[in-house]
């Protein structure tokens, strides 16, 4: 039973809310309950008796729009005998300021992801904090009726006025032009940053103390607010300080979201040497999870290992004639970076391979195998496709001491629109094929680029009658012979061949794309978004007999990438040279503290690697000369406020996504420059940990896993902007409701050992072969993040740079 007081967090559908909740729990030692601003609460006063304080969070929109602030208005209207301490952040601050008589208007130049120095009164919640370094995310600002905006640190700026007698200013941003991008010179020299109500325990701050780039002094403001709240509560509402977990919230349970922050076996491996071969075979007994019923012939990984020799992805696929059949190839061979591109996986989709397919809005999921189809009612899984996937994988869950990236499991894709469904943005189902499609891969080849080995693998499950040893032996023998031939697959790039096959093409027009940029910036200026990741698509129709496999082999040469992929799955053909990992997660392992603990814990690490910020290597000058941009030059460009702000917004968004599922969220790498074939990119690395007790008996399909983190983070934040939900709604309109389809979605695998790894589908070409679709039409998506600092010319050039990475396959520049 906890003695911690409860704090109510009113969420305005922002993408930083969970970061604030984590900060509250760390700085204030409280329990946080989240309720969305549009929740219908019949007796709000009674509901609030469970809480010691309220935080009105940030979000898109304007404080005068009721649908944007919702319950905030009810908080300010509470009768005196029901009020409790309140902290408004960003939109919550603006709502309080408006309630107290201030005007809230658009900044001439919005500030999103911008770090500044805030000057305080050194009083109240800013005691002993004369200045704080913090991050701002706002297009609007509160203006006091007699605010001259002269920028002078005039004593009048710190006093209440006759027009706003209850509003006491506590902090201002006087940064003006100092250190700011030239565009910010349009803004007032004094921007109100914090206020308090003179007669009630209501406070507001415009800045974001939870941002990863806000310093510790900004976080202390939250601690100071709570200290002030405790003092007020001890005199006015002492019973609120002893709230226990037994507080009766059951009546309101469907409305609340409690913070989660409070909240294997030993397989035997035998080896036997084959006298006729240099490869070793392994039949690894994989211990199924003890929680579910198994048969005597529990799942086994039957595999053979041989040196890589002269083997390559193309030569393996050619030798096994895989390019003409369904298959999923995750190819890191051409571009290996530290911690990336360590392994490549060839997953074979055979006639008897199980497939899971789902279309947006469907009430069932399709299970296909051997020409047969079964419809499974999703009502049994909470109407959630990801709950079904968790249950499906739980059936095959194993614990193994074979430390490989992939042993078998689900491989496939999730479209961008399927991600929109998870955040409540209504869209129609994909017209070309299923929005989610996974194949349960039992036959696979794993290439370990670090160890220079090849593993031929068959995952044998209970119901299999397949002769695994025969297939593994035969395949290993073919590849062993091939590895000694030292004959590589032809690598002749054929752009002219593909160019000659083009029958028609449709590319984004400069005028239309720039008009969309203008639309994005208008929405940002109005406070409806911080950043919008705008995209457009190119269509190319090919005639003649063009091999998609030949296209991929050339593309991987032209644009080497750590997350390249060749996918033929159902009606989809996808050729990807993605540089971006969306997320991966490790299998559960014992935590270091768990080794000495009476209650040992297992943990799994979830990692995201968003890319935001791009510099093209070849810069064409006005006179047509080409300058090759160096890494130091690219680094300087990527240090600009625009590029850093783009990346920071997505880092903070992903931290929010992770905090919704994980604990111990941290940023392992912030805005690191990485080099690729045609561009330099700004990359960050964010991690969170999932924990579970070893005493859970028995485990169930409902236990938290990396699949929960995957579902909670879609669609990829680097392809949406922030706040995610409102930004996606706006982008649907701005992009004329054209489906992005598999572009901007994710591709990867979920292993039976508990691991998973997904990339963002960018720098890719795809087509659908299905009834009603043009079988010869390929699509290429490209775009970029639009912020208040974007220029139309730069954003148009960035989109073309990304498009060119794959479009040049057709000999086009």
């Amino acid at each position: 039973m906890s003695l911690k007081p409860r704090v109510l967090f009113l969420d305005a559908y922002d993408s930083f809310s969970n970061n604030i909740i984590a900060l509250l729990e760390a700085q204030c030692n409280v329990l946080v309950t989240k309720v969305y601003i549009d929740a219908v609460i019949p007796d709000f006063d009674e509901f609030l008796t469970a809480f010691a304080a309220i935080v009105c969070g940030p979000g898109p929109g304007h404080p005068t729009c009721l649908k944007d602030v919702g319950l905030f208005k009810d908080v300010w209207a509470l009768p005196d005998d029901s009020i409790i301490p309140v902290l408004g952040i960003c939109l919550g601050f603006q709502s309080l300021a408006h309630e107290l008589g201030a005007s809230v208007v658009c900044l001439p130049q919005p500030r999103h992801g911008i770090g500044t120095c805030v000057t305080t009164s050194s009083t109240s919640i800013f005691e002993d904090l004369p200045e704080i370094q913090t991050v701002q995310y706002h297009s609007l600002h509160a203006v006091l009726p007699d605010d001259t905006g002269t920028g002078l640190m005039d004593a009048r700026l710190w006093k209440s006025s006759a027009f706003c007698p209850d509003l006491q200013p506590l902090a201002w941003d006087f940064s003006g032009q100092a250190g700011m991008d030239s565009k910010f010179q349009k803004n007032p020299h004094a921007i109100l940053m914090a206020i308090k109500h003179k007669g009630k325990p209501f406070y507001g701050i415009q800045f974001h103390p939870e941002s990863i780039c806000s310093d510790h002094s900004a976080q202390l403001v939250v601690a100071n607010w709570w200290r002030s709240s405790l003092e007020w509560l001890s005199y006015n509402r002492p019973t609120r300080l002893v709230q226990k977990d037994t507080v009766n919230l059951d009546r309101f349970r469907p409305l609340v979201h409690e913070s989660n922050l409070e909240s294997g076996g030993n397989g035997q491996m035998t080896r036997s040497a084959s006298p006729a071969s240099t490869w070793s075979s392994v039949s690894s007994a994989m211990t199924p999870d003890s929680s579910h019923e198994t048969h005597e012939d529990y799942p086994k990984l039957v595999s053979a290992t041989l040196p890589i020799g002269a083997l390559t992805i193309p030569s393996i696929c050619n030798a096994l004639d895989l390019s003409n059949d369904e298959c999923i190839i995750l190819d890191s061979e051409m571009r290996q970076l530290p911690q990336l591109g360590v392994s490549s996986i060839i997953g074979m989709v055979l006639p008897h391979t199980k497939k899971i397919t789902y279309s947006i809005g469907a009430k069932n999921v399709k299970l296909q195998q051997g020409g047969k189809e079964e419809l499974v009612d999703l009502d049994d899984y909470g109407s959630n496709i990801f709950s079904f996937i968790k249950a499906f994988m739980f059936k095959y869950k194993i614990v193994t001491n074979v430390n490989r990236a992939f042993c078998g499991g689900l491989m496939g894709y999730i479209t961008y629109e399927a991600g929109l469904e998870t955040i409540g943005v209504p869209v129609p189902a994909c017209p070309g094929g299923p929005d989610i499609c996974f194949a349960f891969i039992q036959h696979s080849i794993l290439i370990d680029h670090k160890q220079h080995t090849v593993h031929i693998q068959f995952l044998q499950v209970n119901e299999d009658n397949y002769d695994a040893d025969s297939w593994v032996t035969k395949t290993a023998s073919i590849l062993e012979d091939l590895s000694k031939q030292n004959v590589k697959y032809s690598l002749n790039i054929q752009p002219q061949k593909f160019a000659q096959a083009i029958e028609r093409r449709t590319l984004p027009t400069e005028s239309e794309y720039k008009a969309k940029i203008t639309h994005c910036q208008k929405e940002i200026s109005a406070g409806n978004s911080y950043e919008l990741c705008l995209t457009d698509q190119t269509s190319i129709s090919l005639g003649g007999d063009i091999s998609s496999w030949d296209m991929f082999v050339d593309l991987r040469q032209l644009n080497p990438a750590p997350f390249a992929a060749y996918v033929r799955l159902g009606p989809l053909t996808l050729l990807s040279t993605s540089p971006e990992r969306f997320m991966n997660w490790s299998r559960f392992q014992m935590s270091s503290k768990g080794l000495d603990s009476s209650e040992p814990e297992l943990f799994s690490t979830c990692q995201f690697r968003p890319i935001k910020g791009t510099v093209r290597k070849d810069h064409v000058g006005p006179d047509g000369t080409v300058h090759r941009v160096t890494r130091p030059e690219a680094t300087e460009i990527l240090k600009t406020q625009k590029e850093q702000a783009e990346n920071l917004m997505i880092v903070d968004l992903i931290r929010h996504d992770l905090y919704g599922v994980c604990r111990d969220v941290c940023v392992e790498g912030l805005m690191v420059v990485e080099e690729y074939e045609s561009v330099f990119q700004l990359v960050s690395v964010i991690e969170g940990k999932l924990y579970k007790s070893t005493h859970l008996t028995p485990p169930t399909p409902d236990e938290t896993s990396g699949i929960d983190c995957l579902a909670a983070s879609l669609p990829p934040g680097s392809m949406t902007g922030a706040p995610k939900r409102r930004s996606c709604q706006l982008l649907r309109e701005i992009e004329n409701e054209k489906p992005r389809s598999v572009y901007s979605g994710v591709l990867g695998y979920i292993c039976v050992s508990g691991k998973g790894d997904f990339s963002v589908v960018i720098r890719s070409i795809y087509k659908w072969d299905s009834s009603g679709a043009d079988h010869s039409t390929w699509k290429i998506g490209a775009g970029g993040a639009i912020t208040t600092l974007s220029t139309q010319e730069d954003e148009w050039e960035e989109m073309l740079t990304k498009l060119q990475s794959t479009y040049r396959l057709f000999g086009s520049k």
Side-chain angles (χ1 to χ4, degrees), residues 531-804:
E531 174 180 38
L532 288 164
C533 296
L534 177 66
T535 72
D536 212 329
Q537 297 209 22
T538 295
S539 297
I540 303 171
S541 294
L542 302 180
D545 186 18
I546 298 297
S547 163
S548 60
W549 175 249
D550 287 347
M551 290 171 63
F552 174 67
V553 172
D554 280 9
L555 185 61
R556 72 197 288 271
Q557 282 283 107
L558 286 168
N559 196 42
F563 297 101
Y566 177 78
V567 178
R568 290 191 66 186
L569 187 60
L572 176 69
T573 302
L574 169 66
L575 321 178
S576 176
T577 52
S578 174
E580 182 173 353
R581 165 175 281 159
F582 174 50
M583 71 164 295
N584 76 330
W585 64 90
S586 66
R587 61 189 183 188
F588 278 93
Q589 56 187 297
M590 184 70 71
S591 66
S592 56
K593 66 179 181 179
L595 295 173
D596 302 317
S597 172
S598 59
E599 296 185 8
E601 282 187 315
L602 301 174
F603 77 94
S604 169
T605 300
C606 301
Q607 182 193 86
F608 288 73
R609 297 186 89 258
I611 290 176
K612 266 289 164 270
T614 302
V615 174
R616 187 174 183 171
K617 284 187 173 180
D618 292 334
H619 175 72
V620 182
D623 59 353
T625 59
V626 178
H627 169 65
R628 189 72 170 174
V629 177
T630 65
R631 188 185 186 96
E633 289 172 334
T635 300
E636 284 303 308
I637 295 171
L638 292 170
K639 281 183 179 179
T640 61
Q641 283 187 333
K642 173 188 177 296
E643 303 294 344
Q644 300 265 310
E646 280 185 22
N647 197 285
L648 173 60
M649 281 185 259
I650 302 307
V651 170
D652 281 341
L653 180 151
I654 288 173
R655 291 172 60 235
H656 160 88
D657 287 345
L658 275 170
Y659 271 127
V661 182
C662 297
R663 286 158 44 194
D664 298 343
V665 175
C666 62
V667 177
E668 291 293 330
L670 185 62
M671 305 184 202
V672 178
V673 177
E674 290 185 353
E675 182 175 0
Y676 294 88
E677 187 69 16
S678 58
V679 296
F680 292 96
Q681 305 259 216
L682 201 58
V683 182
S684 292
V685 180
I686 308 100
E687 292 184 350
K689 286 185 170 55
L690 299 170
Y691 290 94
K692 66 178 182 181
S693 171
T694 59
H695 297 317
L696 291 177
T697 52
T700 71
D702 297 327
E703 66 183 26
T704 303
S705 73
I707 299 173
D708 294 284
C709 198
L710 171 68
S713 304
L714 293 169
S718 61
M719 302 306 297
T720 64
K724 186 183 284 188
R725 186 171 183 261
R726 180 69 67 89
S727 295
C728 288
Q729 291 169 336
L730 294 171
L731 287 166
R732 284 279 296 164
E733 175 189 350
I734 295 168
E735 296 177 3
N736 302 317
E737 298 189 349
K738 291 181 181 178
R740 293 188 184 181
S741 189
V742 70
Y743 168 68
S744 296
V746 299
L747 167 71
Y749 68 83
I750 304 171
C751 183
V752 292
S753 69
K755 293 181 178 181
D757 202 349
F758 284 81
S759 65
V760 181
V761 181
I762 53 176
R763 318 290 198 274
S764 304
I765 309 174
Y766 71 93
K767 70 170 184 173
W768 294 101
D769 296 331
S770 57
S771 59
D774 186 343
H775 295 192
S776 65
T777 299
W778 294 84
K779 291 185 179 292
I780 306 173
I786 309 302
T787 71
T788 188
L789 295 176
S790 297
T791 66
Q792 289 189 349
E793 195 60 39
D794 287 346
E795 293 301 335
W796 169 248
E797 287 299 321
E798 180 175 336
M799 187 279 289
L800 291 180
T801 296
K802 294 173 179 177
L803 172 61
Q804 186 62 25

Side-chain angles (χ1 to χ4, degrees), residues 112-190:
H112 293 294
I114 303 299
T116 62
C117 176
V118 171
T119 302
T120 84
S121 63
S122 297
T123 64
S124 187
I125 61 174
F126 294 97
E127 187 175 357
D128 298 326
L129 297 172
E131 289 186 344
I132 58 173
Q133 296 292 331
T134 189
V135 171
Q136 298 179 34
Y137 286 107
H138 61 114
S139 299
L140 313 175
H141 71 124
V143 178
L144 304 184
D146 60 346
D147 176 14
T148 63
T150 61
L152 300 175
M153 295 177 66
D154 194 298
R156 290 174 299 170
L157 294 178
W158 301 99
K159 296 179 180 179
S160 300
S161 71
F163 300 97
C164 304
D166 291 326
L167 188 156
Q168 177 70 53
L170 294 178
W172 294 84
D173 181 351
F174 294 114
S175 59
Q177 300 178 21
M180 290 286 104
D181 186 284
S182 60
K183 292 186 177 183
F184 289 120
Q185 296 175 14
K186 302 175 185 177
N187 284 337
H189 290 267

Side-chain angles (χ1 to χ4, degrees), residues 12 27-28 49 164 325 464 479 553 569 605 645 749:
Q27 290 290 330
C28 307
T49 60
C164 304
D325 299 312
D464 286 329
L479 297 186
V553 172
L569 187 60
T605 300
Y749 68 83

Side-chain angles (χ1 to χ4, degrees), residues 415-434:
T415 66
Y416 172 78
E417 281 72 27
L420 293 183
E421 186 180 47
T422 68
I423 59 172
V425 177
V427 285
C430 176

